[in-house]
């Protein structure tokens, strides 16, 4: 019997990571730099219009450490729109001074492990819709990492019966609930789309809560036995004012 979890799929997600080519940015005249910053802000304002209209959402953060300088995360109804936004960014003047360092393609995902029995169409349920088409908060900090569920020897998540996975996911969810109000998590599925199976995006106003949550989950069987993790990215919220400061050389 096919015991694949049934997923509900929401907005498509693109996490784009870029570094600045500061050496060439510094060579440009201040007028040209100012024009590039203004054009970039116009692009970000346009992204924000979709947040306001609830036709999508975006998040913009300065990344700490050498993996990238900033991340733009966009959520849209279609994969096509994500690619169009990416192309639009690439045509901005500022893009000439950035170096792509990482990207992740996925789709907002809810699984049925903890869903109750109901005949209702979940896509019509307001609570489900709010999670499939989420507003992205303007929290002070973001944390992103891709992950997999292990498929090795006796530790093969995909060979476990549905009932066992449900029990394990319940325990996972209980730990998560302890962080309600402190950390907002968005799980995006990426099987068939990118190199790992899920993207995990966390938002918080206290950056230390990322460490506490991820650490606590490591002791839970779902993560301890079955979790495999890619690179972690952590960043600080960039508003227009901080962006101008960030790009001032
Ligand atoms: O239905 C729900 O969303 C609630 C139960 C729940 C599911 C089904 C849930 C709750 N998660 C679910 C699925 Mn989660 N989650 C992660 C990570 O770092 C690690 O060890 C793992 C990364 C974190 C930090 C986290 C946080 N979760 C998933 C899945 C898909 C699994 C599958 O289909 O096999 C993954 C990969 C995953 C990973 N999870 C929560 C949280 C938090 C904070 C909650 C509680 C949310 C709440 O109750 O509001």
């Amino acid at each position: 019997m096919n015991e694949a979890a049934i997923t509900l799929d929401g907005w498509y997600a693109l996490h784009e990571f870029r570094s600045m080519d500061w050496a060439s940015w510094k060579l440009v005249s201040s007028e040209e730099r100012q024009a590039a910053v203004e054009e970039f802000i116009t692009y970000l304002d346009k992204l924000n219009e979709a947040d306001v209209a609830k036709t999508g959402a975006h998040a913009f953060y300065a990344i700490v450490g050498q993996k990238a300088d900033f991340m733009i995360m966009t959520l849209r109804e279609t994969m096509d729109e994500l690619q169009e936004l990416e192309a639009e960014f690439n045509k901005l003047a500022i893009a000439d001074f950035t170096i792509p360092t990482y990207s992740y393609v996925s789709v907002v995902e809810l699984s049925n492990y903890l869903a109750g029995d109901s005949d209702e169409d979940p896509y019509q349920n307001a609570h489900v819709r709010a999670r499939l088409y989420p507003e992205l908060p303007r929290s002070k900090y973001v944390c992103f990492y891709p992950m997999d569920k292990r498929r090795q020897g006796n530790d093969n998540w995909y060979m476990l019966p549905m009932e066992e996975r449900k029990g394990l996911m319940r325990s996972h969810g209980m730990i998560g609930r302890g962080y309600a109000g402190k950390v907002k998590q968005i799980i995006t599925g990426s099987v068939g789309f990118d190199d790992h199976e899920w993207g995990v995006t966390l938002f918080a106003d206290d950056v230390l809560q990322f460490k506490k949550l991820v650490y606590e989950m490591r002791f839970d069987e779902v993560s301890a036995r079955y979790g495999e993790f890619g690179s972690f990215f952590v960043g600080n919220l960039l508003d227009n004012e901080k962006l101008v400061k960030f790009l001032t050389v």
Side-chain angles (χ1 to χ4, degrees):
M1 191 177 107
N2 180 345
E3 288 203 302
I6 294 168
T7 60
L8 298 176
D9 303 283
W11 276 335
Y12 291 89
L14 175 64
H15 293 71
E16 263 230 72
F17 295 85
R18 307 234 170 195
S19 280
M20 285 298 296
D21 178 355
W22 294 115
S24 24
W25 181 241
K26 281 182 197 159
L27 292 177
V28 183
S29 73
S30 62
E31 292 76 29
E32 233 178 294
R33 278 200 304 264
Q34 195 182 334
V37 172
E38 280 167 16
E39 186 194 36
F40 189 12
I41 288 176
T42 304
Y43 173 81
L44 292 165
D45 286 345
K46 196 188 126 186
L47 289 186
N48 199 49
E49 282 170 21
D51 294 58
V52 174
K54 301 194 187 303
T55 53
H58 86 287
F60 182 42
Y61 284 82
I63 299 298
V64 185
Q66 295 179 351
K67 289 172 190 152
D69 283 324
F70 63 85
M71 173 195 83
I72 303 179
M73 171 185 183
T74 40
L75 298 179
R76 287 293 182 277
E77 197 76 47
T78 62
M79 189 77 89
D80 309 56
E81 287 166 273
L82 293 179
Q83 180 270 323
E84 281 158 21
L85 288 176
E86 185 184 359
E88 204 176 318
F89 176 88
N90 281 326
K91 291 173 202 165
L92 299 179
I94 192 76
D96 295 349
F97 305 96
T98 67
I99 303 149
T101 53
Y102 190 65
S103 69
Y104 208 74
V105 179
S106 53
V107 60
V108 178
E109 177 186 293
L110 293 179
S111 60
N112 67 337
Y113 285 121
L114 305 183
D117 288 325
S118 160
D119 290 338
E120 181 198 40
D121 174 2
Y123 286 101
Q124 301 309 321
N125 178 299
H127 297 287
V128 171
R129 292 187 68 83
R131 298 187 56 190
L132 289 176
Y133 313 106
E135 266 179 42
L136 296 182
R138 297 294 175 248
S139 303
K140 284 165 75 177
Y141 305 102
V142 74
C143 172
F144 170 79
Y145 53 99
M147 67 172 290
D148 298 303
K149 290 275 171 77
R150 186 166 297 139
R151 283 182 282 131
Q152 261 168 23
N154 290 326
D155 296 338
N156 189 330
W157 175 258
Y158 297 90
M159 295 291 279
L160 294 179
M162 182 61 169
E163 279 312 307
E164 205 172 319
R165 278 178 280 138
K166 271 189 180 170
L168 290 166
M169 287 311 292
R170 196 165 298 124
S171 162
H172 166 84
M174 290 310 286
I175 293 182
R177 264 186 227 170
Y179 289 81
K182 290 187 215 157
V183 178
K184 175 170 173 136
Q185 111 277 22
I186 295 179
I187 302 299
T188 51
S190 43
V191 171
F193 290 162
D194 218 316
D195 299 345
H196 295 268
E197 295 169 349
W198 290 277
V200 179
T201 312
L202 309 174
F203 296 91
D205 283 323
D206 172 7
V207 74
L208 200 54
Q209 296 303 320
F210 297 144
K211 178 173 177 288
K212 291 191 183 297
L213 168 59
V214 175
Y215 184 67
E216 197 178 338
M217 283 198 168
R218 290 291 159 98
F219 289 90
D220 185 61
E221 199 169 346
V222 174
S223 298
R225 189 184 293 270
Y226 300 105
E228 288 188 352
F229 301 89
S231 288
F232 281 67
F233 297 84
V234 66
N236 307 332
L237 183 69
L238 272 177
D239 55 21
N240 286 353
E241 201 181 320
K242 283 196 181 147
L243 174 63
V244 169
K245 197 171 154 211
F246 170 72
L247 290 173
T248 299
V249 289

